[in-house]
Amino acid sequence: MDDEWQAERDWPLLTTGLAGRLRRDCMAQWLGFVRHPFVRGIADGTLPPEAFRNFLIQDYLYLIQYARACALAVYKADTVASMRHAAGLMAGILDTELAMHVGYCRQWGIEETTLGNAEESLELLAYSRFILDRAQTGDLLDLMVTMAPCLIGYAEVGARLHASPLTVREGNPYWSWITLYGGAEYTQLVEDGIRQLDALATPYGAQARYPTLLRVFTTAVRLETAFWGTGRSG
């Protein structure tokens, strides 16, 4: 599906700094995430529409919890610049991304009332509460490392699918989703997040704490992988 795409060549920023080291050191789990059967179904358009609708509903609920984590990042930050970065992420979710997600869901026949009344899947409960636990018990670096697989992973999925000659474009109902996460706007957001993570690494002692950070990152990748399965949860 993605033999034509290589991070080292096509997006080297993903392979450098703290984010690149974490990604590299859990590569087996990482590839299970970005090459998941759900992703392959999006690429060739064979994913059942109902599975995608279920995923969209749970992704909306996930964004709400992600905004809460960003709010805690504001509290955890020890510089005004870091506070502004986290506040910007939170505002982007609450003021822009949620509304865009509602509009996209409507295209799939999902009304906002359905989103608001939906129950959280077990996959979402496990993943979002893990993030919020790290947000409350760890420091800012712990939280940003926990959130990194979501930010970076979706961008890599989008880049891989966008570049792959095996991705179906014409008539693929998921092509707009692929272009969103493989597009320039989201790519810029991810690159800003990678640089922010790298900026935290030295002052927060990432080198001495690296084994713990890697365990946290790997757990988040595993939970991200499981979250693809929320499409089956209904």
Side-chain angles (χ1 to χ4, degrees):
M1 179 183 67
D2 48 27
D3 291 341
E4 300 296 319
W5 191 90
Q6 298 175 22
E8 292 79 3
R9 180 194 64 203
D10 299 318
W11 199 354
L13 189 62
L14 291 181
T15 67
T16 61
L18 178 58
R21 184 182 178 189
L22 290 165
R23 175 184 173 276
R24 181 177 61 254
D25 289 346
C26 73
M27 187 54 66
Q29 294 88 345
W30 186 261
L31 291 178
F33 168 33
V34 300
R35 293 177 173 176
H36 192 273
F38 187 95
V39 176
R40 294 201 298 269
I42 285 176
D44 61 18
T46 61
L47 182 74
E50 191 59 28
F52 190 66
R53 291 189 186 95
N54 290 339
F55 172 78
L56 288 176
I57 292 170
Q58 293 300 312
D59 202 31
Y60 172 84
L61 299 177
Y62 171 80
L63 284 173
I64 295 172
Q65 303 302 330
Y66 201 84
R68 288 194 171 105
C70 289
L72 285 166
V74 175
Y75 175 74
K76 295 285 183 175
D78 55 7
T79 68
V80 172
S82 293
M83 292 174 71
R84 285 179 176 146
H85 179 265
L89 288 175
M90 182 178 66
I93 294 170
L94 294 176
D95 298 336
T96 303
E97 193 168 356
L98 280 173
M100 290 175 59
H101 196 87
V102 169
Y104 188 72
C105 285
R106 192 171 290 119
Q107 297 176 30
W108 281 85
I110 307 167
E111 294 301 323
E112 189 168 3
T113 53
T114 301
L115 295 172
N117 292 330
E119 293 186 1
E120 293 179 310
S121 67
L122 293 179
E123 294 91 344
L124 173 58
L125 285 168
Y127 186 28
S128 63
R129 274 40 173 197
F130 175 72
I131 292 175
L132 291 172
D133 175 72
R134 298 310 303 159
Q136 295 178 73
T137 60
D139 60 20
L140 183 60
L141 181 60
D142 288 311
L143 174 54
M144 299 307 290
V145 165
T146 307
M147 297 168 73
C150 174
L151 182 71
I152 300 171
Y154 275 65
E156 181 168 331
V157 166
R160 285 175 178 271
L161 298 189
H162 202 274
S164 174
L166 300 180
T167 297
V168 175
R169 290 157 172 78
E170 292 295 326
N172 186 343
Y174 310 116
W175 178 242
S176 62
W177 188 93
I178 294 170
T179 58
L180 171 65
Y181 288 105
E185 185 175 355
Y186 190 72
T187 297
Q188 184 60 57
L189 179 67
V190 172
E191 291 185 349
D192 290 345
I194 290 173
R195 293 188 180 98
Q196 175 69 8
L197 185 61
D198 286 343
L200 295 173
T202 297
Y204 280 86
Q207 180 62 35
R209 300 164 52 186
Y210 184 74
T212 299
L213 295 175
L214 179 59
R215 284 195 297 272
V216 169
F217 185 87
T218 303
T219 298
V221 171
R222 292 171 56 209
L223 289 166
E224 271 286 359
T225 305
F227 191 69
W228 292 128
T230 201
R232 299 189 305 270
S233 300

